[in-house]
C-alpha cells in the first residue's frame, strides 16, 4: 500500500495559495528520482499513454526537450507555468502544469496537476486543502494493523486524540477517550466485513470533557483489486446538550430496567426513568392481570362509557401526591371504549398529540374524570406508546407534559418508543417468569408434604424457602415416613434445576421413595434402586432405547431411625452430610460416604450407622443453606455454630438457623431444613 501524506519537504502542508486556484486534475505522482510512480486517467487522456507504458519511466520523456521552462519542472522545486508536452501520437501541445511537493512512504515526491481534460467539474486544490486542513471533521486513515498513516489538522483540535498525535501510532495509543478498545474492536469488525459503521460513540476522558462526545464513522478502504487496505475514521462533535441527555436517559434505563424479574417492579422503574427528563407524568398499564392472582379483566364489569382496559403496573409524577392518577398501582384502569388508549392497543401504533385537544367533541366527552384531571393539572401534550414484545401486546405507556411548557416532539416520541421497546422485552420476560414460577410453586406446594409427623419416635420441625431466582422455584424437598416397628425414615433431597420440571421431578422422587421405604429396604439399597429407576426412565425416553443423558439428576440423603436400638442408618447420594446435635449441645457432622447423585447411573452406595442418645437432634438440609457465601467449608462451620448449644424448641431452632445463615433469604438456591429430635422406645 502506498501511503501519501500531503506535506512539503520541510514538513509543512502546502496551502491553497501554493496550489493554483483554477480547477484542475491530478495527473501524476513523481518519485524522488523524478520517475513516474502514479499515472491517472486524466494523464492518459492528455498524453495518450497508458499507465503500463509510463510507470517507472523518467518524467522528462513526457516533455519536449529544449524549452527553458523544462529546467524548472525537472529541478523538482514547487513550480507552475506553461510547458510543451509530447503526446503518444507524436503531436506537441502547450499546457499549464503545477508541481507541488508531497511526502510518501518512499521519501519526498511530487504531485503534478494539469488542465481539466473533459471540461467537467474537477477537483479544486483549495477545496482539497479545506478538507484536509480546515475541516471540522477529524479525518484519519489506519492501515491493516490499525496504525495511523495519515490525519488532517482537525485531529489536533479534538480532545479525543492525544495532543501530539504521531504517524504510525496504534489506535489505542492515538485515541485519548474512554474505552479506546471499543473503537479498536469496531475498526477490526469494519476491516473484516467491509460494512461501514456509522454513529459509533466516542467519549473523551472525564477530566478532559465530561459533557462532550463524538460520533465516529468508520469506512473500509479497498484497493483496485478489492483487497482491504485500511480503515478511514471521521469524527464529528455531536449535539452535547440534547444528545447527551437522550443517551443518559437510555443508559439509565439500561441500568434500572431489567434488574428484577417482577412485572410490577420493572413497570415502575420504567415510569420513574422517564420522569422528569422526558415527561411530567407517566403510567404503565398492562393488559394482563399482575400479580397473577388478580381478577381477569374480562370478568370485571363494564358500563356504556367505560371498560376495564388495563391493570396499572407503574406510575410516576413530578408531584409526590400523584395528583394526576385516577387509579392506584395494581388496580384495574377503566377507559372509554373509543379512545386513544384502545386505539393504540388495537392498532399497535403510538398516539402522538403534541397539543392535547380538550375541546368538545373529542373522546374526553365520554371521560369526565380524566377531563377534570387534565384541566386541573394543566396537561397539554400527550403520547401513548404500545408495549409489545415477541408479537404480543402487553399494554401501553402513557406520557404527559403539564408543568413543562414545551410540547412533545417527534424526537421525544422516538425516544419514548425506544424506551418502551426495551422495557417491553423485560416485562414480557418478567410475566413469563411470574407465570412459570407461580405454576412451579403451586405444583411444589401440592407435592410437598402438608403435615409431617414422626409419631412417638421423633419430634420434627421444618422450613422451606424458595429462592427468587430467574429459574424459579427449585426441586428441594424433605419427608418424614413412619415405618413398621416404630421406626421412622428421614429424607431430604434436591433435584438439579429449577421451574416446573424440577418441581414435578421432586414429586415423583418423593412418591417413589415413600413406596420403596414401605418395603423396609436398607438406605443404600433404596438409593441404588432409585438410581436404576432414573436410568430406566432415560432409556425409555431415548429413540434408540439407550441413553447417556440422565432423565433427572438429584442428590438425596435417606436415613432410618430405630428407637429400639437408638441408632440411625444413613446413605447419601451426593448430598451434604447430616448434622447431629447431642444432648450435651455439641454438634458433629456424620461422615456418610457420598455416593453419586441419583440419575448418574453408578448405583454404588454405602450405609453408615450412628448411635443417637435420647433427645439427640438430627439436622438434614439442602445445600442452599450452606452455600450462601460460596464456600462449603465455611458454610458448614457457620451451621455448626448456629446449631451448637442447648435445644429447647425445634421450631425456634429452625428460625434461629435461618436467621443466622440466610438473614436475607436464599441467595441462588432453595433452602430445605428438617430437624428431628429422637425419642427412645420407652418414651410415651
Amino acid at each position: 500500500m502506498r501511503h501519501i501524506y500531503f506535506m512539503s519537504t520541510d514538513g509543512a502542508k502546502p496551502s491553497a495559495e501554493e496550489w493554483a486556484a483554477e480547477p484542475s486534475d491530478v495527473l501524476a505522482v513523481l518519485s524522488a528520482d523524478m520517475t513516474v510512480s502514479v499515472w491517472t486517467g486524466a494523464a492518459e487522456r492528455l498524453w495518450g499513454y497508458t499507465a503500463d507504458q509510463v510507470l517507472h519511466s523518467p518524467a522528462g520523456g513526457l516533455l519536449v526537450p529544449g524549452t527553458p521552462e523544462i529546467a524548472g519542472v525537472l529541478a523538482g522545486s514547487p513550480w507552475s507555468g506553461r510547458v510543451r508536452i509530447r503526446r503518444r501520437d507524436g503531436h506537441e501541445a502547450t499546457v499549464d502544469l503545477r508541481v507541488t511537493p508531497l511526502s510518501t512512504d518512499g521519501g519526498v515526491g511530487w504531485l503534478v496537476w494539469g488542465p481539466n481534460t473533459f471540461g467537467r467539474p474537477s477537483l479544486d486544490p483549495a477545496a482539497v486543502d479545506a478538507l484536509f486542513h480546515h475541516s471540522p471533521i477529524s479525518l484519519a486513515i489506519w492501515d491493516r494493523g490499525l496504525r495511523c498513516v495519515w490525519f488532517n489538522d482537525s485531529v489536533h483540535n479534538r480532545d479525543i486524540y492525544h495532543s501530539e498525535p504521531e504517524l504510525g501510532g496504534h489506535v489505542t495509543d492515538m485515541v485519548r477517550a474512554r474505552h479506546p478498545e471499543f473503537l479498536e474492536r469496531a475498526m477490526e469488525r469494519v476491516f473484516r466485513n467491509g460494512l461501514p459503521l456509522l454513529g459509533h460513540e466516542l467519549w473523551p476522558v472525564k477530566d478532559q470533557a465530561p459533557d462532550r462526545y463524538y460520533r465516529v464513522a468508520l469506512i473500509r478502504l479497498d484497493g483496485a483489486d478489492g483487497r482491504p487496505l485500511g480503515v478511514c475514521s471521521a469524527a464529528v462533535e455531536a449535539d452535547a446538550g440534547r444528545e447527551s441527555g437522550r443517551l443518559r436517559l437510555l443508559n439509565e434505563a439500561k441500568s434500572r430496567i431489567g434488574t428484577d424479574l417482577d412485572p410490577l417492579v420493572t413497570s415502575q422503574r420504567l415510569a420513574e426513568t422517564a420522569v422528569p427528563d422526558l415527561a411530567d407524568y407517566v403510567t404503565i398499564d398492562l393488559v394482563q392481570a399482575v400479580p397473577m392472582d388478580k381478577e381477569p379483566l374480562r370478568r370485571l364489569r363494564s358500563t356504556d362509557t367505560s371498560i376495564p382496559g388495563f391493570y396499572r403496573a407503574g406510575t410516576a409524577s413530578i408531584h409526590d401526591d400523584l395528583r394526576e392518577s385516577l387509579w392506584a398501582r395494581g388496580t384495574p384502569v377503566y377507559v372509554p371504549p373509543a379512545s386513544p388508549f384502545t386505539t393504540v392497543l388495537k392498532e399497535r401504533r403510538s398516539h402522538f398529540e403534541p397539543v392535547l385537544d380538550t375541546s368538545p367533541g373529542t373522546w374526553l366527552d365520554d371521560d369526565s374524570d380524566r377531563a377534570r384531571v387534565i384541566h386541573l393539572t394543566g396537561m397539554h401534550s400527550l403520547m401513548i406508546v404500545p408495549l409489545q414484545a415477541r408479537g404480543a401486546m402487553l399494554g401501553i405507556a402513557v406520557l404527559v407534559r403539564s408543568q413543562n411548557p414545551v410540547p412533545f416532539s417527534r424526537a421525544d416520541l422516538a425516544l419514548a418508543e425506544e424506551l418502551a421497546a426495551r422495557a417491553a422485552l423485560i416485562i414480557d420476560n418478567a410475566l413469563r417468569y411470574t407465570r412459570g414460577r407461580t405454576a412451579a410453586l403451586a405444583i411444589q406446594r401440592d407435592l410437598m408434604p402438608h403435615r409431617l409427623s414422626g409419631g412417638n419416635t421423633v419430634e420434627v420441625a421444618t422450613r422451606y424457602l424458595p429462592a427468587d431466582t430467574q429459574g424459579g422455584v427449585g426441586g428441594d424437598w424433605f419427608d418424614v415416613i413412619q415405618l413398621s416397628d416404630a421406626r421412622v425414615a428421614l429424607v431430604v433431597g434436591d433435584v438439579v434445576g429449577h421451574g416446573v420440571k424440577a418441581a414435578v421431578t421432586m414429586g415423583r422422587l418423593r412418591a417413589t421413595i415413600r413406596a420403596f421405604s414401605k418395603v423396609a429396604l436398607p438406605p443404600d439399597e433404596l438409593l441404588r434402586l432409585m438410581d436404576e429407576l432414573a436410568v430406566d426412565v432415560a432409556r425409555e425416553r431415548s429413540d434408540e432405547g439407550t441413553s447417556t443423558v440422565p432423565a433427572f439428576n438429584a442428590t438425596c440423603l435417606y436415613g432410618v431411625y430405630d428407637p429400639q436400638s437408638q441408632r440411625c442408618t444413613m446413605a447419601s447420594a451426593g448430598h451434604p452430610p447430616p448434622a447431629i446435635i447431642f444432648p450435651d449441645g455439641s454438634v458433629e457432622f456424620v461422615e456418610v460416604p457420598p455416593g453419586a447423585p441419583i440419575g448418574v447411573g453408578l448405583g454404588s452406595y454405602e450405609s453408615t450407622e450412628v448411635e443417637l442418645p435420647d433427645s439427640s437432634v438430627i439436622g438434614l438440609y439442602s445445600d442452599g443453606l450452606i452455600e450462601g457465601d460460596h464456600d462449603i467449608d465455611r458454610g458448614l462451620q457457620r451451621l455448626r455454630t448456629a446449631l451448637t448449644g442447648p435445644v429447647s424448641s425445634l421450631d425456634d431452632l429452625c428460625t434461629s438457623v435461618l436467621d443466622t445463615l440466610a438473614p436475607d433469604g436464599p441467595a441462588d438456591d432453595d433452602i430445605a431444613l428438617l430437624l428431628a429430635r429422637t425419642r427412645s422406645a420407652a418414651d410415651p
Side-chain angles (χ1 to χ4, degrees):
M1 175 181 177
R2 172 174 291 278
H3 309 311
I4 299 177
Y5 317 118
F6 291 88
M7 59 182 67
S8 61
T9 54
D10 61 359
K13 300 174 183 177
S15 67
E17 290 74 21
E18 293 175 309
W19 291 357
E22 292 297 324
S24 55
D25 284 330
V26 176
L27 300 178
V29 175
L30 309 181
S31 300
D33 59 359
M34 300 306 292
T35 60
V36 179
S37 58
V38 175
W39 190 252
T40 68
E44 182 176 344
R45 290 189 295 271
L46 183 61
W47 268 278
Y49 293 105
T50 65
D52 293 338
Q53 293 172 323
V54 298
L55 286 177
H56 311 300
S57 301
L62 301 171
L63 306 177
V64 176
T67 57
E69 293 85 354
I70 296 176
V73 177
L74 298 181
S77 58
W79 181 90
S80 64
R82 290 191 169 187
V83 296
R84 298 283 294 173
I85 66 171
R86 176 180 294 160
R87 292 194 172 101
R88 182 185 180 190
D89 59 9
H91 293 88
E92 298 179 2
T94 300
V95 297
D96 290 320
L97 293 183
R98 290 179 299 282
V99 179
T100 57
L102 58 89
S103 176
T104 72
D105 54 6
V108 177
W110 306 91
L111 188 65
V112 180
W113 300 80
N116 186 339
T117 57
F118 276 169
R120 51 175 167 72
S122 60
L123 184 64
D124 188 341
V128 175
D129 180 70
L131 173 65
F132 289 156
H133 313 312
H134 307 297
S135 170
I137 300 176
S138 300
L139 299 172
I141 297 177
W142 314 81
D143 66 9
R144 294 185 182 93
L146 301 186
R147 295 179 296 271
C148 186
V149 295
W150 177 86
F151 56 81
N152 67 352
D153 283 345
S154 180
V155 167
H156 293 277
N157 303 321
R158 295 291 177 261
D159 43 29
I160 54 173
Y161 292 96
H162 281 281
S163 57
E164 294 295 333
E166 295 182 358
L167 295 174
H170 190 266
V171 59
T172 54
D173 298 324
M174 288 273 291
V175 174
R176 188 189 180 193
R178 306 179 208 174
H179 303 294
E181 68 275 9
F182 292 171
L183 179 63
E184 178 186 24
R185 296 172 193 166
M187 285 184 170
E188 291 173 344
R189 187 168 63 253
V190 170
F191 189 85
R192 286 194 307 269
N193 59 30
L195 299 177
L197 178 62
L198 306 177
H200 181 86
E201 297 170 4
L202 204 60
W203 292 77
V205 292
K206 293 183 179 179
D207 57 348
Q208 187 78 7
D211 298 322
R212 188 159 57 248
Y213 83 105
Y214 294 80
R215 289 190 181 276
V216 182
L218 301 175
I219 303 171
R220 192 175 78 179
L221 303 176
D222 294 340
D225 58 356
R227 295 175 60 243
L229 304 176
V231 175
C232 175
S233 66
V236 61
E237 186 174 346
D239 183 349
R242 184 173 186 83
E243 287 295 320
S244 62
R246 176 181 179 275
L247 291 173
R248 179 178 55 79
L249 191 60
L250 290 176
N251 288 332
E252 182 181 353
K254 290 179 183 178
S255 62
R256 295 187 64 183
I257 302 173
T259 59
D260 193 302
L261 280 176
D262 185 317
L264 288 173
V265 172
T266 301
S267 298
Q268 181 62 24
R269 286 176 177 167
L270 171 59
E272 293 172 350
T273 299
V275 174
D277 293 331
L278 181 58
D280 296 332
Y281 172 61
V282 175
T283 64
I284 308 300
D285 299 327
L286 304 182
V287 295
Q288 180 164 347
V290 179
M292 300 299 290
D293 56 356
K294 291 289 185 181
E295 186 77 8
L297 291 170
R298 63 181 180 274
R299 297 182 183 176
L300 299 179
R301 179 175 299 179
S302 302
T303 68
D304 293 338
T305 59
S306 184
I307 61 173
F310 310 91
Y311 268 93
R312 178 136 303 166
T315 181
S317 169
I318 58 174
H319 302 111
D320 294 336
D321 58 3
L322 294 175
R323 63 191 64 172
E324 306 93 337
S325 185
L326 292 169
W327 318 103
R329 289 182 66 208
T331 63
V333 176
Y334 287 79
V335 297
S339 66
F341 311 105
T342 55
T343 301
V344 170
L345 192 63
K346 178 181 178 181
E347 298 183 357
R348 302 190 176 199
R349 292 187 302 175
S350 297
H351 174 82
F352 179 59
E353 198 170 355
V355 178
L356 181 59
D357 186 3
T358 60
S359 61
T362 67
W363 62 275
L364 286 171
D365 291 347
D366 296 326
D367 199 337
S368 57
D369 289 336
R370 278 191 178 84
R372 174 178 51 81
V373 169
I374 288 174
H375 288 293
L376 287 175
T377 59
M379 297 181 184
H380 63 85
S381 195
L382 171 68
M383 295 189 298
I384 305 176
V385 179
L387 295 169
Q388 49 187 331
R390 301 180 179 94
M393 273 294 297
L394 307 179
I396 58 174
V398 182
L399 300 95
V400 176
R401 279 185 179 170
S402 54
Q403 184 169 302
N404 185 343
V406 180
F408 287 122
S409 66
R410 286 287 177 182
D412 294 325
L413 177 62
L415 176 57
E417 290 176 336
E418 187 170 355
L419 287 172
R422 294 186 181 188
L425 286 174
I426 306 301
I427 293 174
D428 185 54
N429 290 339
L431 289 171
R432 291 168 182 260
Y433 163 74
T434 301
R435 289 193 295 266
R437 186 173 187 273
T438 301
L441 280 171
I443 292 173
Q444 189 171 54
R445 281 195 298 264
D446 186 63
L447 296 177
M448 284 282 284
H450 295 279
R451 185 178 300 173
L452 292 177
S453 173
N456 295 327
T457 302
V458 293
E459 173 194 358
V460 297
T462 62
R463 290 289 189 278
Y464 175 76
L465 297 179
D468 192 9
T469 66
Q470 293 186 4
V473 67
D476 293 19
W477 88 96
F478 43 69
D479 207 349
V480 178
I481 309 166
Q482 296 186 47
L483 307 176
S484 60
D485 301 327
R487 293 178 304 124
V488 64
L490 305 173
V491 189
V492 66
D494 183 1
V495 176
V496 175
H498 293 86
V500 174
K501 183 178 180 180
V504 171
T505 301
M506 176 274 294
R508 291 175 177 172
L509 284 174
R510 176 174 174 262
T512 305
I513 289 177
R514 272 189 164 263
F516 284 167
S517 66
K518 296 299 184 180
V519 189
L521 294 173
D524 56 345
E525 183 66 15
L526 183 143
L527 293 181
R528 185 187 65 79
L529 289 176
M530 293 294 298
D531 189 54
E532 288 184 2
L533 175 64
V535 173
D536 290 342
V537 172
R539 288 173 179 169
E540 290 176 359
R541 295 179 179 178
S542 173
D543 293 338
E544 293 80 14
T546 60
S547 175
T548 58
V549 180
F552 54 81
N553 195 303
T555 65
C556 180
L557 192 137
Y558 181 84
V560 176
Y561 173 68
D562 185 349
Q564 298 291 340
S565 63
Q566 292 189 313
R567 304 182 73 85
C568 185
T569 306
M570 307 176 185
S572 173
H575 204 79
I580 305 297
I581 309 174
F582 291 98
D584 62 359
S586 62
V587 177
E588 291 185 8
F589 291 102
V590 182
E591 296 183 0
V592 183
I598 296 172
V600 174
L602 297 181
S604 177
Y605 303 96
E606 296 182 30
S607 293
T608 296
E609 196 172 70
V610 58
E611 185 174 351
L612 299 177
D614 192 20
S615 297
S616 298
V617 176
I618 307 170
L620 305 183
Y621 52 92
S622 61
D623 55 7
L625 183 66
I626 59 173
E627 291 181 346
D629 50 12
H630 304 286
D631 187 324
I632 293 180
D633 291 337
R634 185 183 302 173
L636 289 174
Q637 183 57 44
R638 294 178 61 202
L639 177 59
R640 181 194 298 273
T641 302
L643 293 174
T644 300
V647 178
S648 56
S649 166
L650 290 185
D651 195 67
D652 290 344
L653 182 58
C654 281
T655 301
S656 174
V657 169
L658 293 179
D659 289 344
T660 302
L661 274 73
D664 299 323
D668 300 315
D669 199 1
D670 296 5
I671 293 177
L673 175 63
L674 167 64
L675 298 180
R677 179 155 43 192
T678 64
R679 297 168 178 166
S680 66
D683 291 337

